[in-house]
Amino acid sequence: MNTANSKKAFELAQNVIPGGVDSPVRAFKSVGGTPIFIEKGEGAYLVDIDGNRYVDFVQSWGPLIFGHCDKTIELAVVDAVTKGLSFGAPTQVETKLASKICDMFDSIDKIRFVSSGTEAVMSAIRLARGYTGRDDILKFEGCYHGHSDSLLVQAGSGAVTFGTPSSPGVPADLTKHTLLAKYNDIDSVKKCFENSKNIACIILEPIAGNMGLVPADEKFLQELRSICDEHETLLIFDEVMSGFRASLKGSQGISNVVPDMVTFGKVIGGGMPVGAFGARLEIMNKLSPDGPVYQAGTLSGNPVAMFAGLASLEKILETKDLYSEFEQKAKRLVEGFKKAANKNGIELQINVRGSMFGFFFNDMPVKNFDDALKSDTDMFAKFHQAMLKEGFYFACSQFETGFICAAITDEMINDCIESAQKVLSEIK
Ligand SMILES: *Cc1c(COP(=O)(O)O)cnc(C)c1O
């Protein structure tokens, strides 16, 4: 595989962009080698600037449910572009997309659009604090909620403690209000509630996708719900990744637990920069201009992004058996990987939720971040590099989730399993 052009492009990029990338995970640091520079997408495929083609299991980290250059979404965007890129004034398409989502989710009466997942979660946290009049928030090790200050807290193992910042530039004064607990471990949550009477909200990925794919147990979610009810703390489901991915309604299409607030991103913009947060009326009424909690955005509800999101969501709703077909493909893929791994004496832990899949090079089932960290990341790096050469593009870290899109065929899955068999027998 020739990647000379990508190597050259990466060198040039590094001169003017920190690390050569605009989001750190793209730098291929944890798998070695240099990132592939993309020329274009074609359905299930990525084409790089050296002309190599890859079946894309990243799909822009989730948003592209129908793959690249989906005609319906493309036409909606082109049509919107000819009418103007941005107005900073209301448009009807915002109401249309909002109505669709409010109709779909029991937990949501009103929704506000923003421009990224980070912004959605940051705003939801502010609203939760404003609504409850409390300062502390509780998050879980290994859950990612974007890069805003209060949420960038070390996933320090074990001890339940007030968080310390995981990045320079985040004042400890800010993160002292962020409590950390262990995913799928209700006792660690109870300890936090013993330490603080001031918890505005619990925020979690109900289907965690940022430590690899680690779904929450149903019982754990139920217990979180009842602890929140008992303490009048809000339960926030961060469905930026799982929304319209794990099922049509994300976690809420799989679990019976109903959150107080929900955040979205990724799929909701169909590939354009969109995020959103929603809740029931009494909470959303506290948001500016109806209420005192301030939140704003020059490009929020951008018409081009809204039309992309709406086209994507309408197509999702129109496509029969979309999620069951995703799940079938995802299952077949990781079960194929597991079989191939086991044949070569390698242990593999696998998970699937709808179009989301994960596999850990790990001897034990993965229930939380500590478990995930015990995975063999060297083995993952070798697997990643070799699969890339075979023409399969996976997320460049053991701690990310893979995605099936509608353009991925059964044949591509078969080919991928075949390549994995070959690769695993070579790297064992
Ligand atoms: C991606 C992600 C975010 C951040 O969204 P951005 O659009 O990258 O800012 C927040 N929460 C979860 C669960 C995510 O997966």
Side-chain angles (χ1 to χ4, degrees), residues 21-95:
V21 291
D22 280 315
S23 198
V25 71
R26 295 178 198 166
F28 272 45
K29 281 235 153 112
S30 60
V31 289
T34 52
I36 301 300
F37 274 59
I38 307 304
E39 175 73 30
K40 60 179 176 179
E42 283 174 359
Y45 292 98
L46 281 178
V47 182
D48 72 15
I49 58 174
D50 290 282
N52 301 303
R53 278 158 69 84
Y54 312 86
V55 176
D56 182 9
F57 289 106
V58 180
Q59 295 295 326
S60 187
W61 305 91
L64 310 179
I65 206 110
F66 294 104
H68 301 279
C69 308
D70 175 81
K71 269 293 159 224
T72 315
I73 299 168
E74 194 178 296
L75 289 175
V77 168
V78 169
D79 190 48
V81 163
T82 60
K83 292 180 180 139
L85 294 179
S86 177
F87 310 116
T91 55
Q92 287 175 304
V93 63
E94 295 160 71
T95 311

Side-chain angles (χ1 to χ4, degrees), residues 116-119 121 144-146 205 210 238 240-241 266:
S116 71
T118 295
E119 221 189 319
V121 178
Y144 179 67
H145 304 291
E205 297 178 76
N210 288 290
D238 180 353
V240 168
M241 187 188 290
K266 301 194 168 111

Side-chain angles (χ1 to χ4, degrees), residues 49 58 85 88 114 136 150 162 174 193 200-201 225 241 294 301 311 315 326 345 361 377 396:
I49 58 174
V58 180
L85 294 179
V114 293
D136 291 346
S150 330
F162 283 87
L174 257 171
F193 277 87
C201 61
R225 182 67 271 174
M241 187 188 290
Y294 194 69
K315 188 160 176 168
F326 282 152
F361 289 96
T377 51
C396 48

